[in-house]
Amino acid sequence: MSVTVRVPAKVNVQLAVGAARPDGYHDLANVFLAVGLYDEVTATPAEELRITCEGPDAGQVPLDRTNLAARAALALAERYGREPAVHLHIAKDIPVAGGMAGGSADGAAALVACDALWGIGASREELLEICAELGSDVPFSLVGGAALGTGRGERLTPLEVGGAFHWVFAMAGRGLSTPAVFREFDRLAEGRDIPEPTASDDVLRALAKGDPDALAAAVTNDLQPAALSLFPELAETLAAGRAAGALTALVSGSGPTTAFLARDESSAAEVAEALRTSGTCRTVRTAPAPAAGATVV
């Protein structure tokens, strides 16, 4: 017997970042939107916990107990007093170290898969509690759709989405460390007053209406200057996408993946083709939004 769970990537249509807290984290107002790029995690009974991975950039994925999928299995097993005897196979399609929550997605998927495989039947609230312990983006990977994340991003409020949004994602030639981007944010913010992060009414209204033009005018990412400081070449990718007709261009989360919102599916295909031939990125993908969260397939 095995259980396979499909889980989506995310884009942040707003990422407002507060000052560093005493625990080193930052308070956020993080508007998540799940997009149709997916990883799949398959859980199969085994003698002991084992992780394998295939797909683009699979060689960059840790196969030890630092992997969020492994940590999810360990956390669930410990909570319910059983051995984490499971083989977790990750089929990657979400960019690795790309600011699209691929690792977090795998953690959420492993949690759902192990819960089903072991017949635990944990409540959604229990699963979300474990997700929050694993990382700030993991709870959203479980629920999908659209949501406002507060605290360090783990406290979720579901958001209404009134239509489909069409995205193009350009993957860079190397990764960016999320902790490094936050450290650079702190360095660039030194000596400035950082306001409390709050959700943008304009972003929330645009999502609720399903209006790509309004959303394009409202998206923001407070981590973008830090990502560009560490990876200046991303500015060329952003400019190439804008020149190709994207309604807006931004760094996705902590980067280095760049995200481009298009008016419709055909416009997204045109932007993607222009980016592929621009010489400013490694690979390009298109994806609709919103997408469902972690789902047994």
Side-chain angles (χ1 to χ4, degrees), residues 11-15 31-33 167 203 207 215 218-220 250:
V11 65
N12 306 91
V13 292
Q14 182 192 2
L15 182 49
V31 180
F32 294 104
L33 185 61
W167 291 88
V203 167
L207 284 174
L215 185 60
V219 297
T220 57
L250 72 159

Side-chain angles (χ1 to χ4, degrees), residues 66-93:
T66 64
N67 186 297
L68 273 169
R71 290 173 53 200
L74 289 164
L76 188 69
E78 182 179 358
R79 179 173 288 222
Y80 290 95
R82 61 171 299 138
E83 286 298 311
V86 64
H87 170 208
L88 296 172
H89 180 71
I90 303 168
K92 291 294 298 178
D93 198 35

Side-chain angles (χ1 to χ4, degrees), residues 75-214:
L76 188 69
E78 182 179 358
R79 179 173 288 222
Y80 290 95
R82 61 171 299 138
E83 286 298 311
V86 64
H87 170 208
L88 296 172
H89 180 71
I90 303 168
K92 291 294 298 178
D93 198 35
I94 302 172
V96 177
M100 298 185 74
S104 297
D106 297 342
L111 199 59
V112 172
C114 289
D115 177 71
L117 181 72
W118 296 336
I120 290 172
S123 69
R124 190 174 182 83
E125 289 70 28
E126 288 172 302
L127 293 177
L128 283 170
E129 190 177 312
I130 298 172
C131 284
E133 294 167 4
L134 293 170
S136 301
D137 288 346
V138 184
F140 179 71
S141 296
L142 183 78
V143 303
L148 169 64
T150 54
R152 54 184 170 82
E154 82 284 8
R155 297 200 299 266
L156 297 178
T157 303
L159 297 174
E160 181 184 351
V161 183
F165 294 93
H166 297 277
W167 291 88
V168 180
F169 297 98
M171 289 57 162
R174 60 180 172 89
L176 263 180
S177 156
T178 296
V181 174
F182 272 98
R183 286 193 298 272
E184 183 68 0
F185 171 86
D186 291 337
R187 187 187 72 81
L188 294 174
E190 199 169 347
R192 290 195 289 117
D193 286 332
I194 306 297
E196 286 295 313
T198 57
S200 160
D201 289 338
D202 290 341
V203 167
L204 303 188
R205 275 194 298 267
L207 284 174
K209 289 180 180 178
D211 184 338
D213 290 286

Side-chain angles (χ1 to χ4, degrees), residues 34-47:
V35 301
L37 293 176
Y38 301 95
D39 281 1
E40 288 190 351
V41 176
T42 299
T44 307
E47 294 291 317

